[in-house]
Amino acid sequence: MNRFRVKTDHEAAFVEVWQSRDSHLKQVGGFVSFHLMKGDAEDGIRLYASHTLWRDRASFEAWTKSEAFRAAHKGAKSSAEMYDGPPVLEVFDSIQELS
C-alpha cells in the first residue's frame, strides 16, 4: 500500500492520472487486485492509498524489479506538485483472510 497526501486543489488531476494510466499489473504473475482508496481531507490535504494485493511477497518484490513496474511509474516525478510530501510505502503480510 502506498499512502499519498494530495493537495485538495490537485485531487481531480491526481485521480485522472491514476484512472488513465496503464498500471501493467495484469501482466505480472501473482497480481490479485488493486484499489485506489480516498480518505478524509484536513487542512487542504486529502489522504489517498493505492492498495495492491499480491499472491505473496515474492510476487510483489518481482514486480518492483520488472519492466512493467518501470513502465507504470515513468513520469511519476512530473506530478510532484500534487503532493504534500513523498508517498509512504507500507507492506503487510496477510495473517487472516475472510471471504
Side-chain angles (χ1 to χ4, degrees):
M1 176 170 60
N2 259 322
R3 289 188 307 126
F4 301 89
R5 293 176 44 85
V6 178
K7 298 172 185 173
T8 52
D9 58 341
H10 289 277
E11 282 187 80
F14 173 81
V15 171
E16 173 63 24
V17 165
W18 280 87
Q19 291 180 336
S20 65
R21 76 184 191 125
D22 184 353
S23 69
H24 302 273
L25 288 169
K26 292 183 179 180
Q27 305 166 20
V28 181
F31 168 72
V32 176
S33 65
F34 172 83
H35 298 271
L36 181 60
M37 304 172 81
K38 179 178 175 179
D40 292 332
E42 187 176 314
D43 297 327
I45 304 297
R46 183 175 303 275
L47 186 61
Y48 283 85
S50 64
H51 182 264
T52 310
L53 183 62
W54 296 91
R55 179 181 59 229
D56 52 36
R57 187 180 285 256
S59 296
F60 166 72
E61 290 173 354
W63 174 68
T64 65
K65 298 171 185 158
S66 72
E67 187 59 39
F69 178 89
R70 285 185 287 284
H73 291 85
K74 71 179 178 185
K77 292 190 189 251
S78 65
S79 53
E81 73 281 351
M82 294 183 197
Y83 306 110
D84 178 45
V88 176
L89 176 65
E90 298 174 323
V91 179
F92 297 87
D93 293 315
S94 177
I95 59 170
Q96 180 182 14
E97 179 181 346
L98 300 173
S99 309

